[in-house]
């Protein structure tokens, strides 16, 4: 059954008709989320990257509201006195009533104001507020669910903040409150229950029940209309959380989700069709010269190669210059994130590369945090051995260079056989002997606490990928987030991504998918699926995604085995590309970053905010929604030059050189880039005007 589209705004061009800019005047925007200045998951990235655009639109009338986390505040927030008189009186009154609120600037792009609430300081009110929640809303929260308890405290304090601010304003205010996810949703429910003068928006980035159902290995998308949601939530002991999320979705003036796939999910599980889809964007930084990001790729790749030299010491029998680096990263959700499909595809790819005697070696990284107790001794030893070999080579090089220099000074050609003495050869032999290894290179860089039950390790044991010399696919499992301070792989995530060749994210449940989006912005090709918001978005706006380095895996209409075969085909085609073809593809991928820029995708949030203000304050604001039937959309056309895939561009000659004159004739980087730029329309101001002005125009 196809997934239908049933939303008011369905593509980027659907908002192209905005022609008039509305003066927000006395309107104030509060954006509430548990991830404000508190890095927990992907919502943190949404709010952090969107803050600059929202600050430019709302200026001094934009406030982010989140929890006070001391460790984060120390490094991310500059505490100051409130600049808004009404907000200052609000915070002072609440602090004098037994609360603890902080005000400051979040030290990110845009420097937005933040109001941080210490929920633990008011824990003494938890039982009273739970009773009030049960009496007024019929939602009971068990005592043992600490996360739900935090949601109750945060919700009541947020509603108190908004109500107090409305009371402190000298004139009737136009308050807009945007709530993200169920952890903040209770504040929205209380605003409506208390009839506060607040326009509300609720955004769900992933439904609670959807995530739990998919983790339980059910046929989720084919049975969306069949689930007994109350029973399923109760069976998983999340009924109270589900009730909070569903209540927020139904109480909001405007309900939004981050993708069409999540919109359909929300319609069935939360029983409300979203008003607007608000895709997630990023702040895209363009380089002054197009080749600069290619230079960054080369620099980061060299650092990854250094790590691999140490990791595979004693078994470095493959050519690093002919190696392809793949990676998967994110939360350790083995099935939801598609790690199971990726591993099966790697086993099949390993077989194909071996039987075809390919010279390409694939090194697949799994960057997924899990429970560990320390680094693997063998992994640390590998980096120490690499360092020792490097120091030995440098010592010999210095002695050789000095003797060579002295020989040239006296006008004689050096006798190479006398340049190195017996001591030098002894030193080099000792270094070679120290680099010998009796065991295979480790698969996991850390000591796992649950080694025997770890899903990735058990799958690797089943498919037999042990980093042996005969394997053309090597695997490195790094169960920890990357950090530049790591003694093992000292690289930030962004630097690591830039150094890889392909990101592989064959997720079964992925409401949006920031990992492939980040790859695209950095010019790194990626594999996504038609069950991820990012994959569906790219399919909608690009005629041939694979030509632009975005491979869309079909996990909607194919079985798991068929999806594995398709992914294997994608990976094999990628491995067969020449170096020049990969460079061309990276250039194309980087050009897609305009599609993911908040300058364009931010207009969806603008539309949702205008819609909410018009619904809550119809006497002051008017919003005319776009007719979905009139939206034609737009798509990047297929590149006119030779496609990067050898399976498509070289049917009859599978063995060809890296430098091909025919490619040079058919591929013009500047011309192709200019054509692609024409497919992105410049953003306009929103069609959002004063209702009385429109009436006056009609009367005239």
């Amino acid at each position: 059954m196809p997934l239908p589209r049933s939303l008011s705004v369905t593509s980027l061009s659907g908002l192209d008709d905005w022609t008039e800019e509305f003066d927000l005047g006395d309107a104030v925007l509060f954006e509430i989320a548990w991830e404000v200045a508190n890095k927990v998951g992907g919502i943190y990235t949404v709010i952090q990257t969107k803050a600059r655009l929202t600050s430019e639109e709302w200026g001094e009338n934009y406030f982010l509201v989140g929890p006070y986390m001391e460790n984060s505040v120390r490094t991310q927030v500059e505490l100051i006195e409130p600049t808004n008189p009404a907000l200052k009186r609000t915070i002072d009154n609440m602090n004098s009533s037994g609360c603890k609120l902080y005000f400051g600037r979040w030290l990110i792009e845009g420097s937005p104001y933040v109001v941080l609430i210490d929920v633990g300081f008011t824990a003494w009110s938890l039982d009273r507020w739970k009773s009030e929640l049960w009496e007024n809303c019929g939602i009971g929260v068990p005592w043992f669910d600490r996360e739900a308890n935090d949601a109750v405290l945060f919700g009541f304090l947020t509603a108190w903040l908004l109500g107090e601010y409305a009371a402190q304003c000298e004139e009737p205010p136009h308050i807009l409150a945007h709530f993200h996810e169920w952890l903040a949703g209770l504040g929205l429910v209380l605003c409506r229950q208390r009839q506060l003068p607040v326009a509300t928006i609720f955004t769900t980035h992933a439904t609670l029940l959807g995530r739990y159902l998919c983790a339980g290995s059910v046929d989720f998308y084919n049975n969306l209309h069949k689930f007994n949601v109350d029973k399923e939530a109760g069976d998983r002991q999340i009924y109270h959380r589900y009730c909070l999320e569903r209540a927020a979705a139904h109480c909001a003036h405007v309900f939004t989700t981050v993708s069409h796939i999540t919109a359909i999910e929300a319609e069935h599980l939360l029983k409300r069709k979203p008003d607007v889809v608000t895709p997630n964007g990023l702040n895209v930084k363009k380089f002054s010269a197009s080749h600069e990001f290619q230079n960054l790729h080369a620099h980061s790749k060299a650092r990854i190669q250094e790590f691999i030299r140490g990791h595979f010491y004693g078994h470095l029998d493959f050519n690093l210059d002919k190696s392809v680096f793949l990676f998967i990263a994110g939360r350790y959700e083995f099935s939801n994130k598609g790690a199971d499909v990726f591993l099966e595809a790697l086993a099949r790819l390993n077989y194909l590369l071996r039987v075809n005697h390919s010279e390409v070696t694939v090194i697949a990284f799994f960057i997924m945090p899990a429970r560990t107790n320390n680094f693997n001794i063998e992994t640390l030893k590998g980096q120490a051995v690499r360092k020792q070999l490097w120091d030995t080579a440098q010592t010999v090089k210095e002695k050789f260079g000095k003797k060579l220099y002295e020989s040239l000074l006296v006008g004689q050609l050096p006798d190479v056989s006398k340049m190195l003495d017996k001591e030098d050869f002894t030193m080099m032999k000792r270094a070679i002997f120290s680099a010998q290894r009796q065991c295979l290179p480790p698969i996991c860089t850390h000591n796992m606490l649950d080694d025997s039950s770890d899903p990735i390790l058990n799958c690797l044991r089943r498919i037999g990928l042990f980093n042996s010399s005969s394997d053309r696919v090597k695997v490195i499992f790094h169960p920890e987030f990357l950090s530049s301070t790591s003694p093992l792989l000292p690289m930030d995530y962004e630097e690591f991504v830039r150094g890889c060749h392909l990101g592989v994210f064959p997720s079964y449940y992925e409401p949006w998918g920031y990992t492939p989006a980040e790859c695209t912005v950095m010019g790194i090709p990626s594999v996504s699926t038609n069950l991820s918001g990012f994959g569906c978005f790219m399919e909608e706006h690009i005629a041939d995604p694979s030509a632009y380095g975005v491979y869309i895996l079909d996990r909607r209409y194919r079985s798991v085995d068929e999806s594995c075969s398709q992914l294997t085909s994608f990976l094999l085609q990628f491995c067969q590309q020449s170096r020049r073809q990969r460079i061309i593809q990276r250039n194309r991928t980087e050009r897609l970053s305009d599609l993911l820029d908040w300058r364009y995708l931010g207009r969806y949030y603008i539309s949702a905010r205008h819609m909410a203000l018009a619904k809550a304050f119809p006497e002051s604001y008017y919003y005319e929604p776009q007719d979905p039937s009139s939206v034609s959309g737009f798509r990047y056309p297929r590149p006119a030059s030779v496609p990067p895939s050898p399976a498509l561009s070289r049917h009859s000659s599978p063995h060809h050189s890296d430098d091909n004159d025919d490619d040079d004739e058919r591929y013009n980087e500047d011309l192709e880039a200019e054509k692609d730029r024409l497919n992105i329309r410049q953003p306009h101001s929103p069609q959002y005007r004063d209702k009385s002005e429109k009436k006056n125009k009609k009367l005239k």
Side-chain angles (χ1 to χ4, degrees):
M1 182 181 70
L3 299 177
R5 236 191 252 162
S6 56
L7 303 170
S8 60
V9 178
T10 59
S11 75
L12 284 175
S13 59
L15 298 178
D16 275 344
D17 296 331
W18 291 348
T19 55
E20 296 185 29
E21 186 172 356
F22 178 78
D23 184 9
L24 293 170
D26 62 344
V28 177
L29 172 62
F30 289 89
E31 192 160 7
I32 301 104
W34 190 258
E35 286 79 4
V36 170
N38 176 35
K39 189 170 185 178
V40 178
I43 304 173
Y44 174 89
T45 305
V46 177
I47 295 168
Q48 181 198 37
T49 55
K50 185 171 60 67
R52 184 183 68 181
L53 182 77
T54 313
S55 296
E56 291 173 358
E57 181 191 0
W58 290 80
E60 298 289 303
N61 291 337
Y62 175 49
F63 304 98
L64 286 159
V65 181
Y68 176 81
M69 301 292 179
E70 187 172 356
N71 291 336
S72 298
V73 170
R74 286 177 180 174
T75 57
Q76 297 186 42
V77 178
E78 177 189 6
L79 297 178
I80 59 175
E81 285 294 316
T83 55
N84 184 305
L87 186 60
K88 186 178 189 312
R89 292 193 296 270
T90 298
I91 293 176
D92 290 342
N93 286 352
M94 290 184 66
N95 285 342
S96 63
S97 300
C99 303
K100 196 66 175 177
L101 275 66
Y102 300 84
F103 184 85
R105 280 194 181 275
W106 193 1
L107 302 179
I108 57 174
E109 288 188 82
S111 300
Y113 290 126
V114 290
V115 179
L116 302 177
I117 304 173
D118 189 344
V119 295
F121 195 81
T122 51
W124 51 272
S125 300
L126 181 60
D127 290 338
R128 175 167 58 87
W129 285 343
K130 278 187 178 182
S131 299
E132 184 179 336
L133 178 63
W134 172 254
E135 292 169 3
N136 296 331
C137 304
I139 300 175
V141 177
W143 62 270
F144 56 82
D145 190 341
R146 181 174 179 177
E147 199 171 15
N149 289 337
D150 287 341
V152 171
L153 292 168
F154 188 56
F156 271 87
L157 288 166
T158 302
W160 186 352
L161 172 69
L162 295 173
E164 186 70 25
Y165 179 82
Q168 293 296 333
C169 290
E170 298 176 357
E171 298 180 359
H174 295 136
I175 302 173
L176 175 60
H178 189 162
F179 298 81
H180 292 266
E181 284 292 297
W182 73 275
L183 276 165
L186 179 57
L188 187 154
V189 177
L190 294 172
C191 286
R192 298 306 301 277
Q193 188 262 330
R194 297 173 180 177
Q195 298 182 350
L196 299 179
V198 178
T200 57
I201 304 173
F202 181 67
T203 297
T204 180
H205 297 259
T207 67
L208 269 169
L209 189 54
R211 191 179 295 280
Y212 273 81
L213 286 169
C214 287
S217 301
V218 301
D219 188 3
F220 181 66
Y221 293 98
N222 287 322
N223 295 286
L224 266 175
H225 60 290
K226 298 179 182 178
F227 290 120
N228 182 337
V229 292
D230 294 310
K231 180 180 183 302
E232 296 290 350
D235 289 345
R236 287 158 179 78
Q237 299 184 10
I238 58 165
Y239 187 68
H240 54 290
R241 298 186 181 191
Y242 169 75
C243 288
L244 291 173
E245 183 181 36
R246 183 168 171 175
H250 282 268
C251 289
H253 289 103
V254 173
F255 175 43
T256 77
T257 59
V258 297
S259 65
H260 293 292
I261 196 78
T262 314
I264 297 157
E265 175 189 341
E267 187 174 354
H268 285 89
L269 300 185
L270 298 180
K271 307 303 180 183
R272 179 175 177 180
K273 180 166 61 176
D275 300 292
V276 180
V277 167
T278 53
N280 291 331
L282 289 163
N283 289 327
V284 177
K285 296 179 180 178
K286 288 290 186 180
F287 295 102
S288 56
S290 60
H291 65 271
E292 287 188 33
F293 83 94
Q294 296 281 8
N295 293 339
L296 287 175
H297 166 74
H299 175 73
S300 297
K301 183 178 72 172
R303 296 194 61 185
I304 295 175
Q305 288 176 336
E306 280 301 296
F307 166 78
I308 290 173
R309 288 187 178 99
H311 191 83
F312 288 93
Y313 83 92
H315 293 270
L316 198 63
D317 51 1
F318 53 90
N319 189 346
L320 278 175
D321 291 331
K322 293 184 179 180
S323 297
V324 175
F325 303 155
L326 315 180
F327 80 98
I328 182 174
R331 284 190 303 273
Y332 196 171
E333 298 177 7
F334 185 65
S335 298
N336 281 1
K337 296 298 182 183
D340 52 348
V341 174
F342 186 28
L343 284 166
E344 184 63 36
L346 287 176
R348 300 181 186 187
L349 177 66
N350 185 48
Y351 171 78
L352 293 174
L353 293 176
R354 288 171 63 179
V355 298
N356 288 299
H357 305 289
S358 174
E359 295 181 352
V360 174
T361 300
V362 173
I363 300 176
F365 291 87
F366 287 75
I367 312 297
M368 292 181 157
R371 297 177 61 207
T372 65
N373 58 18
N374 214 326
F375 292 108
N376 188 311
I377 294 297
E378 190 64 26
T379 305
L380 289 173
K381 179 183 176 182
Q383 300 307 313
V385 169
R386 179 194 62 79
K387 180 67 166 55
Q388 180 188 11
L389 291 174
W390 173 259
D391 292 342
T392 301
Q394 291 299 107
T395 301
V396 173
K397 185 182 76 171
E398 288 178 7
K399 293 177 68 176
F400 185 94
K402 184 178 180 180
K403 291 180 180 179
L404 175 63
Y405 171 66
E406 291 174 349
S407 178
L408 294 176
L409 277 177
V410 298
Q412 296 179 357
L413 289 175
D415 185 353
V416 179
S417 62
K418 296 181 180 179
M419 297 298 287
L420 297 177
D421 54 28
K422 187 176 181 180
E423 181 182 347
D424 296 327
F425 281 100
T426 301
M427 185 188 307
M428 289 188 288
K429 286 180 181 179
R430 290 178 61 184
I432 292 173
F433 290 150
S434 68
Q436 292 180 353
R437 189 183 228 167
Q438 303 301 321
C439 61
L440 292 175
I443 291 173
C444 187
T445 59
H446 291 61
N447 295 321
M448 303 289 291
L449 288 180
D450 301 316
D451 183 284
S452 61
S453 59
D454 184 80
I456 288 179
L457 295 181
N458 280 338
C459 188
L460 287 169
R461 294 173 185 128
R462 179 178 60 80
I463 62 181
L465 285 180
F466 299 120
N467 292 342
S468 65
S469 297
S470 60
D471 288 330
R472 298 267 47 86
V473 173
K474 319 286 187 181
V475 177
I476 299 176
F477 179 24
H478 189 275
E480 188 177 71
F481 284 128
L482 296 169
S483 170
S484 59
T485 59
S486 170
L488 191 63
L489 184 56
M491 299 179 73
D492 288 328
Y493 177 74
E494 179 179 340
E495 187 180 9
F496 173 80
V497 171
R498 286 193 182 277
C500 290
H501 295 97
L502 181 71
V504 185
F505 313 102
S507 304
Y508 183 74
Y509 185 78
E510 191 70 80
W512 174 246
Y514 254 123
T515 41
E518 289 167 337
C519 285
T520 302
V521 168
M522 287 185 269
I524 303 300
S526 63
V527 176
S528 190
T529 74
N530 59 355
L531 289 181
S532 72
F534 171 83
C536 293
F537 182 82
M538 286 301 183
E539 274 191 320
E540 181 180 0
H541 294 98
I542 307 173
D544 185 5
S546 61
Y548 283 91
V550 180
Y551 298 88
I552 308 298
L553 184 67
D554 185 1
R555 296 209 63 185
R556 176 70 180 92
Y557 302 107
R558 300 192 185 201
S559 66
V560 174
D561 182 68
E562 291 172 331
S563 296
C564 287
S565 297
Q566 186 185 19
L567 179 57
T568 306
S569 176
F570 287 161
L571 299 180
L572 182 61
Q573 287 183 22
F574 189 85
C575 291
Q576 290 172 341
Q577 289 181 14
S578 66
R579 182 174 178 272
R580 173 171 171 75
Q581 288 172 327
R582 290 201 297 266
I583 291 173
I584 292 173
Q585 193 175 59
R586 282 198 294 272
N587 285 332
R588 291 176 180 167
T589 303
E590 196 270 342
R591 288 201 298 272
L592 293 182
S593 59
D594 284 338
L595 275 175
L596 303 170
D597 197 328
W598 275 122
R599 291 185 300 117
Y600 300 97
L601 298 185
R603 64 182 81 176
Y604 289 103
Y605 277 92
I606 293 172
S607 175
R609 291 194 286 263
H610 294 174
M611 189 184 299
L613 283 170
K615 286 185 177 182
F617 308 108
E619 71 286 350
S620 302
Y621 302 110
Y622 176 79
Y623 174 80
E624 185 175 343
Q626 192 71 251
D627 180 12
S629 62
S630 68
V631 176
S632 59
F634 68 92
R635 292 157 69 86
Y636 267 62
R638 194 168 183 270
S641 61
V642 58
S645 172
L648 297 174
S649 62
R650 290 286 185 267
H651 303 288
S652 57
S653 56
H655 302 289
H656 58 280
S657 64
D658 286 358
D659 300 317
N660 193 288
D661 295 336
D662 187 46
D663 283 2
D664 292 334
E665 292 176 4
R666 299 178 62 185
Y667 177 72
N668 186 317
E669 168 67 24
D670 295 334
L671 180 61
E672 189 173 291
E674 182 59 32
K675 288 181 178 179
D676 283 344
R677 277 193 289 270
L678 294 176
N679 285 281
I680 288 286
R681 296 175 173 87
Q682 291 299 315
H684 299 286
S685 301
Q687 181 185 0
Y688 185 71
R689 68 197 81 171
D690 189 281
K691 191 172 183 179
S692 60
E693 288 182 5
K694 186 171 183 181
K695 286 182 178 179
N696 292 335
K697 288 180 181 178
K698 287 183 178 180
L699 290 174
K700 291 179 181 178

